[in-house]
């Protein structure tokens, strides 16, 4: 028997099966929570930060006071002059900052492709990013072991300094922040996954309830009888046997 599914009828069906719908949401949400807790490995993330400057000098070089008036460019052999210029002016020039930012961008490419650094990733995912307009590089590490993530982030920061000095005779690099051991995973999100499970369970129960109602061909009330035979119903014979129970 075909049935006209009006909004009012749909609401009545769902309200009639509300306990079943709620129970379905709770069960599916619980299953999602258990799956998230048992089957999905937690992922942790931590980061260290280093800086790179194109002025200054490596330890061991001596200042040359006579070079204070010499223009400074990275790779020109005048790192000592850069130190003298900054000391004389008692300030850091804008060209030093912009040059350091450009150098940091190039160093990220160098570090990410250096085998002397990548071999210390130890199965973790490592990314490096320069804060826009600065010479600060954030080394982010994610993995399933929080202790390993912290160790990798700190070791990579140290190895970046070795690779930098191996390729650039001038300039400075150092660590601003060491990575700490993360205490909470960044994923999976148990609350979010459980909420999704509850929503899936409720929607699934609603769809099943409406589908069962559509394929049900039994006559339950006078409205069904009128819709089937296209004639009005004037009276009903009560079921005295069931009503006495």
């Amino acid at each position: 028997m075909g049935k006209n599914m009006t909004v009012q009828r749909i609401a009545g069906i769902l309200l009639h099966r509300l306990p079943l719908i709620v129970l379905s949401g709770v069960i599916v949400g619980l299953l999602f929570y258990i799956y998230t807790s048992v089957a999905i490995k937690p992922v942790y993330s931590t980061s260290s930060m280093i800086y790179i400057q194109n002025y200054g000098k490596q330890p061991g070089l001596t200042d040359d006071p006579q070079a204070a008036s010499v223009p400074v460019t990275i790779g020109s052999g005048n790192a000592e002059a850069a130190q003298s210029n900054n000391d004389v002016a008692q300030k850091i020039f804008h060209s030093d900052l912009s040059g350091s930012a450009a150098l940091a961008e190039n160093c990220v490419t160098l570090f990410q492709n250096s085998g002397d650094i990548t071999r210390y990733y130890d199965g973790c995912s490592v990314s490096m990013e320069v804060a826009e307009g600065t010479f600060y590089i954030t080394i982010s590490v994610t993995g399933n072991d929080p202790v390993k993530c912290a160790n990798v982030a700190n070791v990579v920061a140290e190895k970046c300094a070795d690779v930098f000095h191996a390729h650039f005779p001038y300039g400075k690099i150092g660590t601003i922040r060491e990575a700490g051991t993360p205490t909470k995973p960044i994923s999976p999100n148990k609350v979010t996954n459980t909420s999704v499970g509850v929503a899936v369970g409720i929607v699934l129960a609603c769809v099943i309830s409406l589908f069962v109602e559509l394929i049900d061909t039994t006559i339950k009330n006078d409205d069904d009888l009128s819709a089937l035979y296209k004639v009005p119903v004037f009276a009903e014979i009560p079921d005295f046997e069931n009503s006495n129970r």
Side-chain angles (χ1 to χ4, degrees), residues 3-14 210 213 221 223-224:
K3 296 184 179 181
N4 296 324
M5 298 299 289
T6 63
V7 174
Q8 183 177 2
R9 187 178 183 87
I10 292 174
I13 294 171
L14 297 181
L210 295 176
E213 183 68 21
N221 51 46
D223 292 333
D224 291 343

Side-chain angles (χ1 to χ4, degrees), residues 141-200:
V141 180
T142 58
N144 302 122
D145 187 335
V147 176
K148 181 187 292 186
C149 288
N151 291 338
V152 169
N154 292 324
V155 170
V156 167
E158 295 177 2
K159 297 305 175 182
C160 284
D162 296 338
V163 172
F164 177 84
H165 291 310
H167 288 80
F168 300 99
Y170 308 106
K172 296 167 65 176
I173 182 172
T175 299
I176 296 177
R177 182 188 71 244
E178 292 186 349
T181 302
T183 57
K184 295 182 179 179
I186 59 173
S187 69
N189 191 318
K190 294 182 180 180
V191 175
T192 300
N193 289 356
T194 302
S195 300
V196 171
V198 171
V200 169

